[in-house]
Amino acid sequence: MAQQDIFVTRPCIPPLEEYIDQIRPLWESKWLTNMGDLHRQLEQALRQKLGVDRLSLFVNGHLALEGILQAMELSGEVITTPFTFASTTHAIVRRGLTPVFCDIKETDGTIDERKIEALITEKTSAILPVHVYGNCCNVEAIGQIARRHGLKVIYDAAHAFGVKLNGKGIGSFGDASIFSFHATKVFNTIEGGAVSFRDPALAPALCEAKNFGILDEETVVFAGGNAKMNEFQAAMGLCNLRHFDEEIAKRQALVTAYCQQLSGIPGLRMLRQRPGVRPNYAYFPILIEAEEAGTDRNTLYQALRDYHIFTRKYFYPLITDFDCYKDQYAQTPLPVAKKIASQVLTLPLYGDLGLENVEMICHAVKKILCK
Ligand code: T4K
């Protein structure tokens, strides 16, 4: 039994003095938002950290996604995954586009690239896969399909900050990628997000999308919203960036311990990264095959709560089962997504969790499953 409640995650925050030093100049400049100096510094630092040429900050990851869909002027259908957070589909729908759901792979939970082509119609304008949990999609195959059919590819890389594939930043694949810097992510700006993008011509449209469509003081070119990151968020980002590598190293040690202690338990399976990936250890999902484990995912979830261990069912229910989407869109079979959503449980993972807590959580999991 945990002494204190253990949550699925806790934000990484810098020493208070460091943050105060970072925001102190704002009392002098009185420049609090609307693309200030700290915003400019963070944008620059993140381009380097993420290994991307072009990046635009947003107030959160969701509005970064809506912003890039608006800037690209997409229409019609977008092929995407049902195994994700609400934001991915909501952004598509809120931009007036139609989501078309593709099944996922058993191995890593990302979109099944072998099933994409069958879903393409004359209305399809883009593919929007998700690097779920920071697991890399098959970007090469998806790129080939997109080129064959003249489609845009926008990755939801909300979970994938700092991930590299064959030495390249994950945000450099496809036409664009969005990142989330929410408090629950490996790198946070309290709330925050960004879009990295390939085509330099998109830069003005992205600025306008986050700033009311304003081109200059007297010219407003389209109905943009307000999605600007403020200076206090940027300051948190600049501080957290200094501690990012340390956070990842701590998480790596915790994940290694989880994997060692949970391997070989009948009915408990873990997802796998594809080869060539430098991971960011954003989440630690496990899958429970009820028949073999003798206990189902929901029972494990509840029993862990009784031990004060608050896991999450990321991502259950599937998006297609949300009240707002049920029976709304053409139903393609999604057997793998359905199965994984019913089996998945995301265990606590954050830098300060501590190896002793990982040990205690694994002990509780084994006790519940092996009783
Ligand atoms: N695309 C994908 C694939 C995403 O997963 C997300 C967001 C987005 C797009 C959109 O990005 P943003 O617009 O959010 O930047 C959380 C996050 O709010 C959300 O950002 C994230 N995905 C999603 C997977 O998880 P909830 O509703 O599960 O969060 P909540 O409030 O239950 O927090 C989880 C745990 O974290 C708490 O039990 C305790 C801890 N916590 C949380 C907060 C907010 C803290 O310790 N401190 C805190 O300040 O959605």
Side-chain angles (χ1 to χ4, degrees):
M1 169 96 61
Q3 301 295 319
Q4 283 179 320
D5 290 349
I6 297 184
F7 297 107
V8 69
T9 191
R10 307 283 12 227
C12 176
I13 42 180
L16 182 57
E17 309 314 320
E18 185 181 342
Y19 185 66
I20 289 173
D21 283 347
Q22 191 76 60
I23 59 172
R24 203 181 299 280
L26 302 178
W27 265 252
E28 193 62 38
S29 70
K30 296 192 165 46
W31 195 276
L32 305 184
T33 185
N34 288 14
M35 285 69 87
D37 192 41
L38 299 181
H39 184 285
R40 187 187 48 71
Q41 284 180 40
L42 182 64
E43 225 170 48
Q44 177 64 29
L46 289 178
R47 262 181 222 121
Q48 215 173 354
K49 186 75 188 170
L50 294 172
V52 297
D53 294 332
R54 282 167 278 280
L55 179 124
S56 183
L57 292 176
F58 276 76
V59 70
N60 58 50
H62 178 80
L63 288 174
L65 186 50
E66 287 201 18
I68 188 67
L69 295 177
Q70 178 166 25
M72 282 183 168
E73 297 179 0
L74 296 176
S75 59
E77 296 174 356
V78 175
I79 297 173
T80 188
T81 159
F83 187 68
T84 179
F85 189 59
S87 169
T88 318
T89 310
H90 285 357
I92 295 171
V93 172
R94 285 166 56 84
R95 289 302 318 148
L97 299 158
T98 305
V100 174
F101 295 101
C102 182
D103 207 2
I104 60 171
K105 298 193 295 265
E106 291 252 10
T107 46
D108 62 9
T110 66
I111 196 164
D112 190 338
E113 62 279 358
R114 296 159 302 186
K115 296 180 181 167
I116 292 176
E117 252 173 328
L119 300 172
I120 296 175
T121 71
E122 69 286 353
K123 293 190 195 137
T124 310
S125 61
I127 309 172
L128 205 171
V130 179
H131 298 302
V132 68
Y133 310 124
N135 291 351
C136 279
C137 298
N138 187 337
V139 292
E140 299 88 347
I142 293 168
Q144 280 165 14
I145 294 167
R147 278 190 291 280
R148 258 200 307 277
H149 296 272
L151 305 175
K152 297 284 185 213
V153 181
I154 302 128
Y155 286 102
D156 182 335
H159 303 168
F161 185 93
V163 171
K164 286 193 170 168
L165 175 61
N166 299 324
K168 285 181 70 181
I170 197 68
S172 60
F173 295 94
D175 295 286
S177 300
I178 70 96
F179 294 90
S180 165
F181 310 148
H182 183 262
T184 56
K185 298 299 191 294
V186 286
F187 165 76
N188 85 80
T189 59
I190 309 171
E191 291 265 5
V195 54
S196 59
F197 53 102
R198 191 177 293 277
D199 179 2
L202 287 171
L206 280 166
C207 286
E208 291 146 16
K210 67 178 156 190
N211 192 23
F212 307 103
I214 295 173
L215 188 61
D216 62 44
E217 279 185 30
E218 299 188 5
T219 323
V220 180
V221 289
F222 69 67
N226 178 2
K228 302 179 298 282
M229 177 181 280
N230 69 50
E231 291 291 273
F232 292 83
Q233 291 173 283
M236 184 62 104
L238 286 166
C239 293
N240 278 336
L241 210 47
R242 294 183 201 117
H243 301 278
F244 178 72
D245 291 344
E246 188 192 330
E247 171 71 13
I248 296 305
K250 285 191 203 163
R251 285 170 178 254
Q252 179 175 12
L254 300 169
V255 167
T256 304
Y258 263 135
C259 291
Q260 276 166 0
Q261 293 176 42
L262 293 179
S263 68
I265 299 177
L268 187 155
R269 178 168 85 81
M270 294 164 221
L271 296 173
R272 280 201 310 273
Q273 272 283 9
R274 50 173 293 185
V277 173
R278 195 190 74 183
N280 67 354
Y281 310 100
Y283 294 88
F284 191 75
I286 57 170
L287 302 174
I288 303 299
E289 283 154 8
E291 250 174 54
E292 217 189 322
T295 302
D296 64 17
R297 183 273 313 272
N298 290 347
T299 309
L300 178 61
Y301 167 83
Q302 191 52 53
L304 287 171
R305 283 179 81 90
D306 297 341
Y307 284 103
H308 296 261
I309 300 164
F310 295 88
T311 64
R312 294 297 286 266
K313 300 175 196 173
Y314 294 139
F315 291 98
Y316 172 86
L318 278 189
I319 301 271
T320 40
D321 291 330
F322 283 8
D323 285 355
C324 54
Y325 295 134
K326 234 184 264 174
D327 309 322
Q328 289 263 339
Y329 299 106
Q331 288 295 309
T332 40
L334 302 166
V336 180
K338 282 197 162 78
K339 184 169 103 177
I340 292 193
S342 72
Q343 294 181 339
V344 75
L345 198 62
T346 305
L347 299 186
L349 180 61
Y350 48 93
D352 288 337
L353 176 61
L355 281 166
E356 64 292 352
N357 276 327
V358 169
E359 204 162 298
M360 188 271 299
I361 294 164
C362 292
H363 182 72
V365 169
K366 286 186 217 168
K367 205 165 154 193
I368 298 158
L369 291 185
C370 307
K371 66 172 184 299

